[in-house]
Amino acid sequence: MKKYLEKLFESLSNKLSYLNEIEVQFSIPAVSEHGDYSTNAAMLLAKSLKKNPRAIASEIIDNLELDKNIIAKVELAGAGFINFFFHPDYTTKIISEILQKDDHFGKSNKFEGKRANVEFVSANPTGPLTVGHGRNAVIGDTLANLLESIGYDVDREYYFNNAGRQMRVLGESLKLRYLELFGDKIDFPADYYQGDYLIDIARKIKEEFGEKYRNEDPLNYFKQRAEYEIFEDIKNTLSRLKIEMKNFFNEHSLYENGNIQDVLNAFKDKNLSYDKDGAVWLKLSELGNENDKVIVKSTGEPTYRLPDIAYHMNKLERGYDLVVDLFGSDHNATYPDVIAGVNALGYDGSKIKVVIHQFVTITDGGEKVKMSTRKANFITLDELIDEVGPDVVRYFFIMRNVSSHLNFDIALAKKHNEENPVFYLQYAHARICSILRMTEEQNLAASQENLSLLSSEVEQSLIKKLHQFEDVILYSAESFEPNKLTSYLEETAALFHKFYTECRILGTEKNLAEARIALCESVKILLKNGLSILGLNAPEKM
RNA sequence: GCGCCCGUAGCUCAAUUGGAUAGAGCGUUUGACUACGGAUCAAAAGGUUGGGGGUUCGAAUCCUCCCGGGCGUACCA
C-alpha cells in the first residue's frame, strides 16, 4: 500500500515541483476514521510556499491520478492532512503475495551486496556470561538477523583480550583453587575471582594430572586452561540461545601483526600524538573531543584506546560497509575517542554505528541484586536459560527499547512465565497450525479465488496489518531498534486472535471458509518469519 | 561539576522519530464457546506524560531551568 502511494507522489512531483522540497512521508493514523495512510506534506510545505496548508492539500488532491480500484477515497482533513482509504480488493491481494513469497515474505533487498560486521558480547574469558551479557548478546544477534533480512551479508564477531591484568589474576586465582584441593592453607585474596567455576576447573585439572602443576607458573598452564574452559562454557551458553559467531577476534593479534605499532607511528607522523610524563598522548582536543588522552602508559603498555582504534581500522579494511558495535552504557564515553582516531587516520568512521544499550537491573522479588564477576554474586545466563527457557530469555531482552533500562525480576520470570508475551505469539502460531490441521481433515484448502469475501472490519484490519511487515523490518533494522518488530508482532497476533474469535471457518460457506484459510496461512507465514528473525521457535503445538 | 541515557495508568512498558482523541500487558471488577486450542476474546476503571518556562498550525517527543534515578567522566577495559 505504502509503495503505491510513494510511486503516486513520485509521478505527481513532476507536475507539482514543490513536492521535491520535502520528503513526503506516509504514516498510519491512530484512528481508522483518518484513513489507512495519511500524509502531512501540505503542512510541511505551508511555510516555504506561504500558503494555507489546506489549500496546498486541496491542490495535491486535485492533481492526483487515482486508480479507483486501488484507492477508494481521498480526504482532506484537520489542519491539512491528506488521508487515503484503500479499496478492500486491493488490500486482500497481499495474501497472494505472502503465500507466493513464503519464507521470503518480509525480506527486502535494499542493501543487497553490502557487507556488515556486528560485534557483540565481547566479554573477556574471565567467567561465565551473566544476565548482563545476555542483553548484549541477544540484541546483537537480533540486529544481525534484521540486517540479513534487508539484504546485508552479516558477520557476527566476538572481540576479546586474553592478555592484560584481568587474565593474570584469573590464572593466579585458578592456581590457588588447585592448591586448595591438596589441603594447602590458602588465604584467597578478596580481589581474586571468587566464582565456583574456577573450583570446578581446578578439580578437572587435579583429576587429569594430579599434582603435576603444583609448581607451575600461574601465567602458563593455569591461565591457558582457564581461558579454554571458560570460552567453551561461553560458546555453549551462546549456542543455547542459537547464537553462533563467525569470528573470535583476539586483541593480541593486533600486536603480533604490527597494527598497533603502525597506528602509533601514523599518529606520530601526523603530529597527532606527543610525549608527556613518560606517556604518549593523543591530541583528541584537536580532533573535536574534549581532552587529550593517554594511548601508551609510562609503563609502555597501551591503554584500551590504541588497540580499539587499530581494531576498528582493521574492520574497515576488511571492506565492511557497516560496522556495528554493541556496548553497554558503561562504554558510552569511550567510542567518540575511537571514532575520532579512526577518522584522523583517513578511515571513514561514519560506517561505524555504535549501539549503546542500557543496563539490566536484576531484582529478585523486589530486592536489587548487584552483579560482579569478580565477587561472584552474579546470576549466570545459563541459570536463567535453565529457569525460563531460551525463547523467553531472547524475547525478554529485546522487547524493550535498547536505550531504556531493563528491569528483570527473577522471581517474576519464574512465576509468571506463562504470561510472557512470547507465548502469546507462539500460541497464535500454534493455534493456526491447529486450525489448518482441522480444516485439512474436512477437505478444505486455502483458496485465493474469493479473497474479496474477506470484508469484515477485523479481516480488513488484519490484512492491512500484514502489509506493514516489510516496512517494519526495514525500519527496525535501519534504526537498530529490534523492539519495533516485537511490538508489531504482538499487535498482529492480537488482531489474529480477535479475527479467530469473530470469524469462524468450520461451518461457514465454503468460498468464505477457504478464503479465511488463505488468510490464516498468511498470518502463519508472517509469524514464523518474524519469530525466526527474533531467533525464536514457531511451535506447531504447545 | 561536566557528558550520555532515562522519568508516561497501581506495576512493567508503547507511541510509526514533531501529528489528529497518549495506547498495550499485568493487576482489579464484569462478561463470552455443549463445533476450528479459554495460553483466547469483549467491556469497565485507571493520566496535568516528574515540575516550570519557551519554540509553532501542532510537543510525551525539540530548546531552557529545576527535581529524581542509571552509567561514565583513569597512565582500568
PDB file of all heavy atoms in Angstrom, chain A residues 38 297 424 427 431 434 475 481 484, chain B residues 15 17 20 36-38 41 76-77:
ATOM      1  N   SER A  38      -1.822   8.369   5.771  1.00  0.00           N
ATOM      2  CA  SER A  38      -2.045   9.796   5.821  1.00  0.00           C
ATOM      3  C   SER A  38      -0.716  10.498   5.558  1.00  0.00           C
ATOM      4  O   SER A  38       0.346   9.951   5.865  1.00  0.00           O
ATOM      5  CB  SER A  38      -2.560  10.143   7.219  1.00  0.00           C
ATOM      6  OG  SER A  38      -2.634  11.533   7.364  1.00  0.00           O
ATOM      7  N   LYS A 297      50.805   4.072  28.192  1.00  0.00           N
ATOM      8  CA  LYS A 297      51.148   4.441  29.566  1.00  0.00           C
ATOM      9  C   LYS A 297      52.659   4.548  29.738  1.00  0.00           C
ATOM     10  O   LYS A 297      53.431   4.035  28.929  1.00  0.00           O
ATOM     11  CB  LYS A 297      50.630   3.369  30.537  1.00  0.00           C
ATOM     12  CG  LYS A 297      49.135   3.187  30.507  1.00  0.00           C
ATOM     13  CD  LYS A 297      48.708   2.231  31.609  1.00  0.00           C
ATOM     14  CE  LYS A 297      47.956   1.051  31.016  1.00  0.00           C
ATOM     15  NZ  LYS A 297      47.612   0.038  32.016  1.00  0.00           N
ATOM     16  N   TYR A 424       2.289 -15.615  23.810  1.00  0.00           N
ATOM     17  CA  TYR A 424       1.155 -15.062  23.075  1.00  0.00           C
ATOM     18  C   TYR A 424       1.376 -15.198  21.569  1.00  0.00           C
ATOM     19  O   TYR A 424       0.487 -15.591  20.824  1.00  0.00           O
ATOM     20  CB  TYR A 424       0.999 -13.595  23.479  1.00  0.00           C
ATOM     21  CG  TYR A 424      -0.200 -12.879  22.932  1.00  0.00           C
ATOM     22  CD1 TYR A 424      -1.445 -13.047  23.523  1.00  0.00           C
ATOM     23  CD2 TYR A 424      -0.082 -12.019  21.850  1.00  0.00           C
ATOM     24  CE1 TYR A 424      -2.556 -12.379  23.041  1.00  0.00           C
ATOM     25  CE2 TYR A 424      -1.176 -11.345  21.360  1.00  0.00           C
ATOM     26  CZ  TYR A 424      -2.409 -11.514  21.959  1.00  0.00           C
ATOM     27  OH  TYR A 424      -3.494 -10.849  21.475  1.00  0.00           O
ATOM     28  N   TYR A 427       1.574 -18.972  20.691  1.00  0.00           N
ATOM     29  CA  TYR A 427       0.245 -19.557  20.765  1.00  0.00           C
ATOM     30  C   TYR A 427      -0.542 -19.242  19.493  1.00  0.00           C
ATOM     31  O   TYR A 427      -1.258 -20.105  18.966  1.00  0.00           O
ATOM     32  CB  TYR A 427      -0.499 -19.034  21.997  1.00  0.00           C
ATOM     33  CG  TYR A 427      -1.899 -19.557  22.131  1.00  0.00           C
ATOM     34  CD1 TYR A 427      -2.137 -20.918  22.315  1.00  0.00           C
ATOM     35  CD2 TYR A 427      -2.987 -18.699  22.072  1.00  0.00           C
ATOM     36  CE1 TYR A 427      -3.423 -21.406  22.436  1.00  0.00           C
ATOM     37  CE2 TYR A 427      -4.280 -19.179  22.192  1.00  0.00           C
ATOM     38  CZ  TYR A 427      -4.497 -20.529  22.371  1.00  0.00           C
ATOM     39  OH  TYR A 427      -5.771 -21.000  22.485  1.00  0.00           O
ATOM     40  N   ARG A 431      -1.985 -22.089  17.214  1.00  0.00           N
ATOM     41  CA  ARG A 431      -3.422 -22.109  17.005  1.00  0.00           C
ATOM     42  C   ARG A 431      -3.748 -22.197  15.508  1.00  0.00           C
ATOM     43  O   ARG A 431      -4.636 -22.940  15.092  1.00  0.00           O
ATOM     44  CB  ARG A 431      -4.018 -20.828  17.595  1.00  0.00           C
ATOM     45  CG  ARG A 431      -5.492 -20.878  17.815  1.00  0.00           C
ATOM     46  CD  ARG A 431      -5.952 -19.583  18.464  1.00  0.00           C
ATOM     47  NE  ARG A 431      -7.020 -19.848  19.409  1.00  0.00           N
ATOM     48  CZ  ARG A 431      -7.673 -18.886  20.059  1.00  0.00           C
ATOM     49  NH1 ARG A 431      -7.334 -17.620  19.904  1.00  0.00           N
ATOM     50  NH2 ARG A 431      -8.646 -19.190  20.886  1.00  0.00           N
ATOM     51  N   SER A 434      -3.147 -25.602  14.279  1.00  0.00           N
ATOM     52  CA  SER A 434      -4.225 -26.482  14.693  1.00  0.00           C
ATOM     53  C   SER A 434      -5.434 -26.326  13.767  1.00  0.00           C
ATOM     54  O   SER A 434      -6.055 -27.310  13.361  1.00  0.00           O
ATOM     55  CB  SER A 434      -4.600 -26.156  16.136  1.00  0.00           C
ATOM     56  OG  SER A 434      -5.755 -26.862  16.501  1.00  0.00           O
ATOM     57  N   TYR A 475      12.473  -0.757   8.891  1.00  0.00           N
ATOM     58  CA  TYR A 475      12.599   0.326   9.862  1.00  0.00           C
ATOM     59  C   TYR A 475      13.324  -0.134  11.128  1.00  0.00           C
ATOM     60  O   TYR A 475      14.201   0.550  11.657  1.00  0.00           O
ATOM     61  CB  TYR A 475      11.205   0.858  10.214  1.00  0.00           C
ATOM     62  CG  TYR A 475      11.254   2.049  11.125  1.00  0.00           C
ATOM     63  CD1 TYR A 475      11.583   3.302  10.626  1.00  0.00           C
ATOM     64  CD2 TYR A 475      11.033   1.913  12.497  1.00  0.00           C
ATOM     65  CE1 TYR A 475      11.668   4.390  11.466  1.00  0.00           C
ATOM     66  CE2 TYR A 475      11.121   2.994  13.339  1.00  0.00           C
ATOM     67  CZ  TYR A 475      11.436   4.237  12.821  1.00  0.00           C
ATOM     68  OH  TYR A 475      11.533   5.312  13.654  1.00  0.00           O
ATOM     69  N   GLU A 481      16.473  -0.866  16.184  1.00  0.00           N
ATOM     70  CA  GLU A 481      15.507  -0.977  17.269  1.00  0.00           C
ATOM     71  C   GLU A 481      14.681  -2.256  17.125  1.00  0.00           C
ATOM     72  O   GLU A 481      13.580  -2.227  16.576  1.00  0.00           O
ATOM     73  CB  GLU A 481      14.578   0.248  17.275  1.00  0.00           C
ATOM     74  CG  GLU A 481      15.283   1.533  17.615  1.00  0.00           C
ATOM     75  CD  GLU A 481      14.356   2.744  17.522  1.00  0.00           C
ATOM     76  OE1 GLU A 481      13.942   3.091  16.407  1.00  0.00           O
ATOM     77  OE2 GLU A 481      14.043   3.321  18.561  1.00  0.00           O
ATOM     78  N   LYS A 484      10.833  -2.685  17.838  1.00  0.00           N
ATOM     79  CA  LYS A 484       9.762  -2.294  16.918  1.00  0.00           C
ATOM     80  C   LYS A 484       9.123  -3.537  16.319  1.00  0.00           C
ATOM     81  O   LYS A 484       7.920  -3.568  16.072  1.00  0.00           O
ATOM     82  CB  LYS A 484      10.316  -1.436  15.781  1.00  0.00           C
ATOM     83  CG  LYS A 484      10.999  -0.187  16.200  1.00  0.00           C
ATOM     84  CD  LYS A 484      10.019   0.821  16.731  1.00  0.00           C
ATOM     85  CE  LYS A 484      10.764   2.070  17.154  1.00  0.00           C
ATOM     86  NZ  LYS A 484       9.950   2.936  17.988  1.00  0.00           N
TER      87      LYS A 484
ATOM     88  P     A B  15       8.116   3.150  21.066  1.00  0.00           P
ATOM     89  OP1   A B  15       8.813   2.658  19.873  1.00  0.00           O
ATOM     90  OP2   A B  15       8.837   3.941  22.081  1.00  0.00           O
ATOM     91  O5'   A B  15       6.845   3.996  20.610  1.00  0.00           O
ATOM     92  C5'   A B  15       5.962   3.485  19.622  1.00  0.00           C
ATOM     93  C4'   A B  15       4.778   4.401  19.501  1.00  0.00           C
ATOM     94  O4'   A B  15       4.067   4.425  20.764  1.00  0.00           O
ATOM     95  C3'   A B  15       5.123   5.874  19.238  1.00  0.00           C
ATOM     96  O3'   A B  15       5.344   6.119  17.869  1.00  0.00           O
ATOM     97  C2'   A B  15       3.886   6.576  19.764  1.00  0.00           C
ATOM     98  O2'   A B  15       2.818   6.488  18.856  1.00  0.00           O
ATOM     99  C1'   A B  15       3.560   5.723  20.997  1.00  0.00           C
ATOM    100  N9    A B  15       4.192   6.244  22.213  1.00  0.00           N
ATOM    101  C8    A B  15       5.358   5.838  22.801  1.00  0.00           C
ATOM    102  N7    A B  15       5.674   6.508  23.891  1.00  0.00           N
ATOM    103  C5    A B  15       4.640   7.413  24.033  1.00  0.00           C
ATOM    104  C6    A B  15       4.368   8.415  24.980  1.00  0.00           C
ATOM    105  N6    A B  15       5.159   8.672  26.020  1.00  0.00           N
ATOM    106  N1    A B  15       3.252   9.149  24.827  1.00  0.00           N
ATOM    107  C2    A B  15       2.459   8.900  23.779  1.00  0.00           C
ATOM    108  N3    A B  15       2.601   7.988  22.816  1.00  0.00           N
ATOM    109  C4    A B  15       3.719   7.271  23.005  1.00  0.00           C
ATOM    110  P     U B  17       7.708   8.997  11.974  1.00  0.00           P
ATOM    111  OP1   U B  17       6.887   9.796  12.901  1.00  0.00           O
ATOM    112  OP2   U B  17       7.333   8.964  10.550  1.00  0.00           O
ATOM    113  O5'   U B  17       9.232   9.406  12.090  1.00  0.00           O
ATOM    114  C5'   U B  17       9.551  10.736  12.319  1.00  0.00           C
ATOM    115  C4'   U B  17       9.656  11.039  13.806  1.00  0.00           C
ATOM    116  O4'   U B  17       9.830   9.825  14.595  1.00  0.00           O
ATOM    117  C3'   U B  17      10.874  11.923  14.136  1.00  0.00           C
ATOM    118  O3'   U B  17      10.512  12.744  15.239  1.00  0.00           O
ATOM    119  C2'   U B  17      11.901  10.894  14.588  1.00  0.00           C
ATOM    120  O2'   U B  17      12.913  11.416  15.370  1.00  0.00           O
ATOM    121  C1'   U B  17      11.008   9.935  15.363  1.00  0.00           C
ATOM    122  N1    U B  17      11.579   8.596  15.583  1.00  0.00           N
ATOM    123  C2    U B  17      11.705   7.754  14.519  1.00  0.00           C
ATOM    124  O2    U B  17      11.352   8.040  13.407  1.00  0.00           O
ATOM    125  N3    U B  17      12.267   6.540  14.806  1.00  0.00           N
ATOM    126  C4    U B  17      12.706   6.084  16.024  1.00  0.00           C
ATOM    127  O4    U B  17      13.182   4.964  16.110  1.00  0.00           O
ATOM    128  C5    U B  17      12.542   7.020  17.087  1.00  0.00           C
ATOM    129  C6    U B  17      11.991   8.212  16.827  1.00  0.00           C
ATOM    130  P     A B  20      -1.371  12.602  16.964  1.00  0.00           P
ATOM    131  OP1   A B  20      -0.534  13.040  18.092  1.00  0.00           O
ATOM    132  OP2   A B  20      -1.608  11.175  16.700  1.00  0.00           O
ATOM    133  O5'   A B  20      -2.778  13.333  17.085  1.00  0.00           O
ATOM    134  C5'   A B  20      -2.869  14.754  17.153  1.00  0.00           C
ATOM    135  C4'   A B  20      -4.228  15.178  16.635  1.00  0.00           C
ATOM    136  O4'   A B  20      -4.225  15.109  15.187  1.00  0.00           O
ATOM    137  C3'   A B  20      -5.382  14.295  17.098  1.00  0.00           C
ATOM    138  O3'   A B  20      -6.531  15.108  17.261  1.00  0.00           O
ATOM    139  C2'   A B  20      -5.608  13.351  15.909  1.00  0.00           C
ATOM    140  O2'   A B  20      -6.917  12.874  15.806  1.00  0.00           O
ATOM    141  C1'   A B  20      -5.290  14.281  14.739  1.00  0.00           C
ATOM    142  N9    A B  20      -4.839  13.571  13.531  1.00  0.00           N
ATOM    143  C8    A B  20      -3.763  12.728  13.413  1.00  0.00           C
ATOM    144  N7    A B  20      -3.598  12.267  12.198  1.00  0.00           N
ATOM    145  C5    A B  20      -4.631  12.831  11.472  1.00  0.00           C
ATOM    146  C6    A B  20      -5.013  12.725  10.121  1.00  0.00           C
ATOM    147  N6    A B  20      -4.357  12.000   9.220  1.00  0.00           N
ATOM    148  N1    A B  20      -6.107  13.406   9.720  1.00  0.00           N
ATOM    149  C2    A B  20      -6.763  14.145  10.630  1.00  0.00           C
ATOM    150  N3    A B  20      -6.501  14.326  11.925  1.00  0.00           N
ATOM    151  C4    A B  20      -5.414  13.636  12.284  1.00  0.00           C
ATOM    152  P     C B  36     -14.311 -25.867  19.225  1.00  0.00           P
ATOM    153  OP1   C B  36     -13.259 -26.442  20.079  1.00  0.00           O
ATOM    154  OP2   C B  36     -15.021 -24.653  19.623  1.00  0.00           O
ATOM    155  O5'   C B  36     -13.699 -25.626  17.784  1.00  0.00           O
ATOM    156  C5'   C B  36     -13.455 -26.750  16.934  1.00  0.00           C
ATOM    157  C4'   C B  36     -12.446 -26.404  15.904  1.00  0.00           C
ATOM    158  O4'   C B  36     -12.962 -25.363  15.034  1.00  0.00           O
ATOM    159  C3'   C B  36     -11.121 -25.830  16.395  1.00  0.00           C
ATOM    160  O3'   C B  36     -10.266 -26.866  16.800  1.00  0.00           O
ATOM    161  C2'   C B  36     -10.593 -25.112  15.169  1.00  0.00           C
ATOM    162  O2'   C B  36      -9.871 -25.990  14.328  1.00  0.00           O
ATOM    163  C1'   C B  36     -11.871 -24.698  14.421  1.00  0.00           C
ATOM    164  N1    C B  36     -12.105 -23.257  14.465  1.00  0.00           N
ATOM    165  C2    C B  36     -12.607 -22.657  13.318  1.00  0.00           C
ATOM    166  O2    C B  36     -12.843 -23.348  12.346  1.00  0.00           O
ATOM    167  N3    C B  36     -12.828 -21.325  13.312  1.00  0.00           N
ATOM    168  C4    C B  36     -12.544 -20.604  14.400  1.00  0.00           C
ATOM    169  N4    C B  36     -12.788 -19.315  14.343  1.00  0.00           N
ATOM    170  C5    C B  36     -12.026 -21.207  15.601  1.00  0.00           C
ATOM    171  C6    C B  36     -11.814 -22.525  15.588  1.00  0.00           C
ATOM    172  P     G B  37      -8.831 -26.474  17.441  1.00  0.00           P
ATOM    173  OP1   G B  37      -8.073 -25.778  16.377  1.00  0.00           O
ATOM    174  OP2   G B  37      -8.297 -27.695  18.064  1.00  0.00           O
ATOM    175  O5'   G B  37      -9.109 -25.437  18.599  1.00  0.00           O
ATOM    176  C5'   G B  37      -9.732 -25.859  19.786  1.00  0.00           C
ATOM    177  C4'   G B  37      -9.026 -25.238  20.964  1.00  0.00           C
ATOM    178  O4'   G B  37      -7.688 -25.787  21.080  1.00  0.00           O
ATOM    179  C3'   G B  37      -8.868 -23.732  20.852  1.00  0.00           C
ATOM    180  O3'   G B  37      -8.983 -23.163  22.146  1.00  0.00           O
ATOM    181  C2'   G B  37      -7.421 -23.574  20.369  1.00  0.00           C
ATOM    182  O2'   G B  37      -6.830 -22.351  20.768  1.00  0.00           O
ATOM    183  C1'   G B  37      -6.762 -24.716  21.129  1.00  0.00           C
ATOM    184  N9    G B  37      -5.512 -25.155  20.513  1.00  0.00           N
ATOM    185  C8    G B  37      -5.295 -25.499  19.211  1.00  0.00           C
ATOM    186  N7    G B  37      -4.058 -25.828  18.975  1.00  0.00           N
ATOM    187  C5    G B  37      -3.425 -25.687  20.193  1.00  0.00           C
ATOM    188  C6    G B  37      -2.080 -25.900  20.570  1.00  0.00           C
ATOM    189  O6    G B  37      -1.152 -26.273  19.852  1.00  0.00           O
ATOM    190  N1    G B  37      -1.864 -25.635  21.904  1.00  0.00           N
ATOM    191  C2    G B  37      -2.823 -25.214  22.782  1.00  0.00           C
ATOM    192  N2    G B  37      -2.433 -25.016  24.037  1.00  0.00           N
ATOM    193  N3    G B  37      -4.098 -25.019  22.466  1.00  0.00           N
ATOM    194  C4    G B  37      -4.312 -25.268  21.158  1.00  0.00           C
ATOM    195  P     G B  38     -10.074 -22.031  22.448  1.00  0.00           P
ATOM    196  OP1   G B  38     -11.390 -22.647  22.512  1.00  0.00           O
ATOM    197  OP2   G B  38      -9.793 -20.953  21.478  1.00  0.00           O
ATOM    198  O5'   G B  38      -9.731 -21.494  23.893  1.00  0.00           O
ATOM    199  C5'   G B  38      -8.484 -20.854  24.162  1.00  0.00           C
ATOM    200  C4'   G B  38      -8.339 -20.623  25.646  1.00  0.00           C
ATOM    201  O4'   G B  38      -9.422 -19.751  26.084  1.00  0.00           O
ATOM    202  C3'   G B  38      -8.448 -21.888  26.489  1.00  0.00           C
ATOM    203  O3'   G B  38      -7.610 -21.770  27.619  1.00  0.00           O
ATOM    204  C2'   G B  38      -9.890 -21.882  26.951  1.00  0.00           C
ATOM    205  O2'   G B  38     -10.082 -22.548  28.174  1.00  0.00           O
ATOM    206  C1'   G B  38     -10.121 -20.374  27.123  1.00  0.00           C
ATOM    207  N9    G B  38     -11.523 -20.006  27.019  1.00  0.00           N
ATOM    208  C8    G B  38     -12.321 -20.018  25.923  1.00  0.00           C
ATOM    209  N7    G B  38     -13.538 -19.628  26.171  1.00  0.00           N
ATOM    210  C5    G B  38     -13.530 -19.337  27.530  1.00  0.00           C
ATOM    211  C6    G B  38     -14.550 -18.884  28.378  1.00  0.00           C
ATOM    212  O6    G B  38     -15.716 -18.626  28.087  1.00  0.00           O
ATOM    213  N1    G B  38     -14.108 -18.738  29.683  1.00  0.00           N
ATOM    214  C2    G B  38     -12.845 -18.989  30.118  1.00  0.00           C
ATOM    215  N2    G B  38     -12.614 -18.792  31.405  1.00  0.00           N
ATOM    216  N3    G B  38     -11.863 -19.422  29.332  1.00  0.00           N
ATOM    217  C4    G B  38     -12.279 -19.570  28.062  1.00  0.00           C
ATOM    218  P     C B  41      -6.455 -12.131  23.233  1.00  0.00           P
ATOM    219  OP1   C B  41      -5.704 -11.287  22.286  1.00  0.00           O
ATOM    220  OP2   C B  41      -6.208 -12.005  24.685  1.00  0.00           O
ATOM    221  O5'   C B  41      -8.007 -11.913  22.989  1.00  0.00           O
ATOM    222  C5'   C B  41      -8.546 -12.019  21.686  1.00  0.00           C
ATOM    223  C4'   C B  41     -10.040 -11.950  21.742  1.00  0.00           C
ATOM    224  O4'   C B  41     -10.544 -13.042  22.557  1.00  0.00           O
ATOM    225  C3'   C B  41     -10.600 -10.709  22.418  1.00  0.00           C
ATOM    226  O3'   C B  41     -10.618  -9.602  21.550  1.00  0.00           O
ATOM    227  C2'   C B  41     -11.997 -11.183  22.797  1.00  0.00           C
ATOM    228  O2'   C B  41     -12.848 -11.225  21.661  1.00  0.00           O
ATOM    229  C1'   C B  41     -11.710 -12.621  23.240  1.00  0.00           C
ATOM    230  N1    C B  41     -11.483 -12.723  24.695  1.00  0.00           N
ATOM    231  C2    C B  41     -12.600 -12.647  25.553  1.00  0.00           C
ATOM    232  O2    C B  41     -13.722 -12.478  25.051  1.00  0.00           O
ATOM    233  N3    C B  41     -12.412 -12.746  26.887  1.00  0.00           N
ATOM    234  C4    C B  41     -11.198 -12.929  27.380  1.00  0.00           C
ATOM    235  N4    C B  41     -11.067 -13.021  28.706  1.00  0.00           N
ATOM    236  C5    C B  41     -10.043 -12.994  26.533  1.00  0.00           C
ATOM    237  C6    C B  41     -10.230 -12.886  25.204  1.00  0.00           C
ATOM    238  P     C B  76      46.148   2.844  33.786  1.00  0.00           P
ATOM    239  OP1   C B  76      46.719   2.677  35.122  1.00  0.00           O
ATOM    240  OP2   C B  76      46.515   1.991  32.671  1.00  0.00           O
ATOM    241  O5'   C B  76      44.570   2.768  33.958  1.00  0.00           O
ATOM    242  C5'   C B  76      43.774   2.185  32.951  1.00  0.00           C
ATOM    243  C4'   C B  76      43.203   0.873  33.425  1.00  0.00           C
ATOM    244  O4'   C B  76      42.139   1.145  34.358  1.00  0.00           O
ATOM    245  C3'   C B  76      42.548   0.040  32.356  1.00  0.00           C
ATOM    246  O3'   C B  76      43.521  -0.722  31.663  1.00  0.00           O
ATOM    247  C2'   C B  76      41.580  -0.813  33.153  1.00  0.00           C
ATOM    248  O2'   C B  76      42.264  -1.895  33.745  1.00  0.00           O
ATOM    249  C1'   C B  76      41.134   0.166  34.253  1.00  0.00           C
ATOM    250  N1    C B  76      39.848   0.824  33.937  1.00  0.00           N
ATOM    251  C2    C B  76      38.661   0.169  34.287  1.00  0.00           C
ATOM    252  O2    C B  76      38.726  -0.934  34.818  1.00  0.00           O
ATOM    253  N3    C B  76      37.466   0.772  34.025  1.00  0.00           N
ATOM    254  C4    C B  76      37.443   1.958  33.432  1.00  0.00           C
ATOM    255  N4    C B  76      36.266   2.506  33.210  1.00  0.00           N
ATOM    256  C5    C B  76      38.645   2.640  33.065  1.00  0.00           C
ATOM    257  C6    C B  76      39.817   2.037  33.324  1.00  0.00           C
ATOM    258  P     A B  77      43.429  -0.816  30.102  1.00  0.00           P
ATOM    259  OP1   A B  77      44.637  -1.548  29.663  1.00  0.00           O
ATOM    260  OP2   A B  77      43.068   0.461  29.472  1.00  0.00           O
ATOM    261  O5'   A B  77      42.141  -1.742  30.011  1.00  0.00           O
ATOM    262  C5'   A B  77      42.134  -2.937  29.253  1.00  0.00           C
ATOM    263  C4'   A B  77      40.720  -3.433  29.205  1.00  0.00           C
ATOM    264  O4'   A B  77      39.958  -2.783  30.247  1.00  0.00           O
ATOM    265  C3'   A B  77      39.991  -3.072  27.919  1.00  0.00           C
ATOM    266  O3'   A B  77      40.190  -4.060  26.910  1.00  0.00           O
ATOM    267  C2'   A B  77      38.533  -3.002  28.352  1.00  0.00           C
ATOM    268  O2'   A B  77      37.960  -4.279  28.418  1.00  0.00           O
ATOM    269  C1'   A B  77      38.672  -2.434  29.765  1.00  0.00           C
ATOM    270  N9    A B  77      38.522  -0.971  29.798  1.00  0.00           N
ATOM    271  C8    A B  77      39.505  -0.024  29.716  1.00  0.00           C
ATOM    272  N7    A B  77      39.060   1.208  29.777  1.00  0.00           N
ATOM    273  C5    A B  77      37.691   1.062  29.913  1.00  0.00           C
ATOM    274  C6    A B  77      36.634   2.004  30.026  1.00  0.00           C
ATOM    275  N6    A B  77      36.811   3.322  30.030  1.00  0.00           N
ATOM    276  N1    A B  77      35.379   1.533  30.130  1.00  0.00           N
ATOM    277  C2    A B  77      35.197   0.204  30.114  1.00  0.00           C
ATOM    278  N3    A B  77      36.107  -0.770  30.023  1.00  0.00           N
ATOM    279  C4    A B  77      37.347  -0.272  29.918  1.00  0.00           C
TER     280        A B  77
END
